[in-house]
Amino acid sequence: MIMKKLFILLVLLCSVAISNAQEKETEKSQSKAVLFEESIGSLIKKDFYNLSKVRGVENQVLILTDILTGEKMGCLRMKPKQYSSSNEPCVGTLDFEELDAAIKSLSYIKENILPTTPDVYSEIVFKSKDGVQLGTYFNETLMTI
């Protein structure tokens, strides 16, 4: 039950900051899953497993398989209903190895940050290898996640 709540919190926070995850044309993602997917000279099969949509954020487990070598890689793939200014869909990924740190970060925010009221504008941010940012921010009059 707690994992479900943390996942929902994770997805809600992703919807706030996932548009920042879109790659700039000169920057390449450091996500192992993204690099695996883009590897040259491989034959990649992509299996998409849909998860619950939360507040307009589509969530999927993506399993990538190199058919030639049998190697597999997976990630959590998130696509918000919002698009960037270029009308291209923003899709962010979290490698499976990053999920534990993301959940711990969100748990810390929930237990230690959200119950407080800072005196100044504050941001708390976890950033994935793909540029997905999860977190919260406060100002003097409004708290938002």
Side-chain angles (χ1 to χ4, degrees):
M1 185 65 166
I2 192 142
M3 290 299 286
K4 183 177 180 181
K5 288 180 181 178
L6 287 175
F7 176 74
I8 291 171
L9 181 60
L10 171 78
V11 172
L12 290 174
L13 293 173
C14 287
S15 67
V16 173
I18 198 167
S19 62
N20 293 329
Q22 187 175 17
E23 290 180 4
K24 295 177 183 166
E25 293 202 23
T26 58
E27 284 184 32
K28 284 291 187 184
S29 172
Q30 296 302 309
S31 164
K32 289 181 181 179
V34 172
L35 294 173
F36 183 83
E37 180 179 16
E38 295 175 348
S39 60
I40 296 171
S42 57
L43 181 59
I44 304 294
K45 177 185 175 195
K46 301 176 189 180
D47 293 314
F48 296 86
Y49 298 92
N50 291 324
L51 300 173
S52 301
K53 188 183 233 185
V54 179
R55 294 200 183 204
V57 178
E58 294 177 23
N59 301 287
Q60 297 174 318
V61 172
L62 172 59
I63 305 295
L64 305 162
T65 306
D66 184 335
I67 294 173
L68 302 176
T69 66
E71 186 178 359
K72 290 187 176 196
M73 170 94 34
C75 64
L76 175 64
R77 186 174 184 269
M78 298 168 286
K79 184 168 80 171
K81 63 182 172 186
Q82 298 173 267
Y83 293 115
S84 68
S85 59
S86 67
N87 290 327
E88 293 294 320
C90 297
V91 176
T93 61
L94 282 166
D95 288 343
F96 284 152
E97 64 193 35
E98 296 179 289
L99 289 177
D100 188 48
I103 290 170
K104 285 180 183 176
S105 298
L106 292 173
S107 294
Y108 180 85
I109 289 170
K110 179 182 175 190
E111 296 166 8
N112 299 294
I113 305 301
L114 294 180
T116 67
T117 306
D119 296 327
V120 297
Y121 176 83
S122 300
E123 295 181 356
I124 311 292
V125 179
F126 169 86
K127 187 174 180 181
S128 77
K129 294 175 188 174
D130 194 34
V132 173
Q133 295 183 13
L134 312 173
T136 187
Y137 67 91
F138 294 87
N139 69 26
E140 295 80 20
T141 59
L142 176 68
M143 186 278 297
T144 305
I145 56 172

